[in-house]
Amino acid sequence: NFSDDTPPQPPPTDTASWHDFLVFLKHSTADHPSAFNAIVGNIPNKSASFLTLCDLLRAFVDISGSSDGSICIDLLSAASGWLFWVNLRDIPEHVAVYRDLKVEQQDSPILVLLAGTTLAHGRLSTLLSYRLEGTGALVLVNLLNRLKAFLHRPSPPKVTHYCDNKGLVQQVNRLKSKAPAGW
């Protein structure tokens, strides 16, 4: 048997591409295909600035993350979305980033580094904006964990998460204040 079931090692960090990360992600989440599907999603990801995201994380630059959920009753569909972004003013001069911004990005102080959307599954009657936004937030956490391994970082990146769902924020704060034994 000449097949090799071991997951590929991440490429040298200076050559990491979105495709390299997807190969790493697929193999590193092989036991949890739903994690891969949640990150990659059903709709193509916005990954043109993935190399910039990697450069910023390697340089320990703080970035931001946002998640959202949406239900469209008339179309009988629901989705979760997530994105990583940075304010261009917050990028230190010493950090080598790909500053080849498209024309539409040059007028905005915000650079979207990576974004994705996945269609929600389940009964429409049980899908709430609260749950969908929470799913997007969990994708951010899972993605950060995989990026940490991919980039060989000693610690997780610092990301400020923005959430506009009051119910989700209250629930997360409630869970944080009552962490179960063993955490």
Side-chain angles (χ1 to χ4, degrees), residues 1 17 23 37 63 75-77 84 118 129 140 150 162:
N1 185 357
S17 70
V23 170
N37 293 336
I63 61 172
L75 296 177
L76 301 175
S77 64
F84 291 112
T118 187
S129 177
L140 288 173
F150 180 72
Y162 292 87

Side-chain angles (χ1 to χ4, degrees), residues 87-89 101-111:
N87 190 314
L88 293 172
R89 293 185 306 256
L101 303 178
K102 295 179 182 174
V103 174
E104 68 267 13
Q105 293 172 320
Q106 293 175 354
D107 294 331
S108 172
I110 302 298
L111 174 62

